[in-house]
Amino acid sequence: MLRYLNQCSRGRGAWLLMALIAFALEMVALWFQHGMMLKPCVMCIYERCALWGIVAAGIVGAIAPKSPLRLLAIAGWIYSAWEGVQLAYQHTMIQLHPNPFVTCDFAARFPSWLPLDKWLPSMFVASGDCAENQWSFLTLSMPQWLVIIFAAFLLVAVLVLIAQPFKPKRRDLFSR
């Protein structure tokens, strides 16, 4: 399995598939916001940023999958997935154990060199309450689903990292 993951990480297809899956999740988030009129909270906005990090890692990996740039893409993938797990877990705890003293911020805090809320306010401006559960599917809230999704991204990323030293087997027509 590790040889197979190594082989997949050296091709564009797997990287593009990962980027496409994360991008599709972003589009679903925008549908929830603009189509279903659900209000994203600050934690939702940060979780979106973590998903964009996975999209970016997929694009970087697809650009040069056979070069050392692949390792940078894996690092970005692991970092974004880890941050996503942490954010979604914190968001879940806020919803499951509401506390008037533990709340999320009113507005997302982005660095001055990357003011996403100013550049794309329809995507990165928060207007909801983190403690409010606006949507659920199969008894799980949106942050709980995101814990599962980010954990799956993280698990696969760690396996791909572990698989990097395992070279794919060469298959010759006449070898035994």
Side-chain angles (χ1 to χ4, degrees):
M1 179 180 90
L2 292 176
R3 292 183 195 279
Y4 177 72
L5 287 174
N6 185 320
Q7 182 180 357
C8 287
S9 74
R10 294 175 186 273
R12 294 188 202 296
W15 290 106
L16 291 174
L17 178 63
M18 180 183 74
L20 181 66
I21 290 169
F23 182 76
L25 289 169
E26 288 288 348
M27 294 302 103
V28 168
L30 288 175
W31 166 252
F32 283 149
Q33 180 180 351
H34 297 291
M36 295 176 62
M37 300 301 172
L38 301 179
K39 296 178 180 179
C41 66
V42 170
M43 296 297 283
C44 295
I45 300 300
Y46 292 152
E47 291 156 2
R48 284 184 187 180
C49 291
L51 268 176
W52 280 115
I54 293 173
V55 171
I59 292 170
V60 168
I63 289 172
K66 293 181 180 166
S67 75
L69 194 59
R70 177 182 76 254
L71 298 176
L72 179 67
I74 293 171
W77 178 11
I78 289 172
Y79 175 76
S80 296
W82 175 252
E83 287 295 320
V85 167
Q86 288 183 317
L87 289 164
Y89 179 77
Q90 288 172 357
H91 193 178
T92 298
M93 290 300 107
I94 289 172
Q95 284 189 349
L96 292 179
H97 310 289
N99 182 342
F101 302 109
V102 179
T103 61
C104 58
D105 295 334
F106 291 111
R109 288 182 271 163
F110 293 108
S112 61
W113 54 270
L114 189 68
L116 294 175
D117 54 341
K118 306 282 188 285
W119 294 346
L120 292 168
S122 64
M123 188 182 298
F124 293 109
V125 169
S127 58
D129 179 13
C130 293
E132 182 182 353
N133 184 0
Q134 300 180 51
W135 178 89
S136 65
F137 179 67
L138 299 175
T139 71
L140 296 177
S141 67
M142 197 175 306
Q144 290 171 321
W145 279 109
L146 284 172
V147 168
I148 294 167
I149 290 167
F150 281 120
F153 273 121
L154 183 61
L155 175 65
V156 174
V158 168
L159 288 174
V160 167
L161 180 65
I162 292 169
Q164 290 310 297
F166 293 85
K167 300 293 180 201
K169 286 184 181 176
R170 288 193 54 124
R171 300 200 184 255
D172 292 333
L173 184 60
F174 300 108
S175 68
R176 291 184 183 195

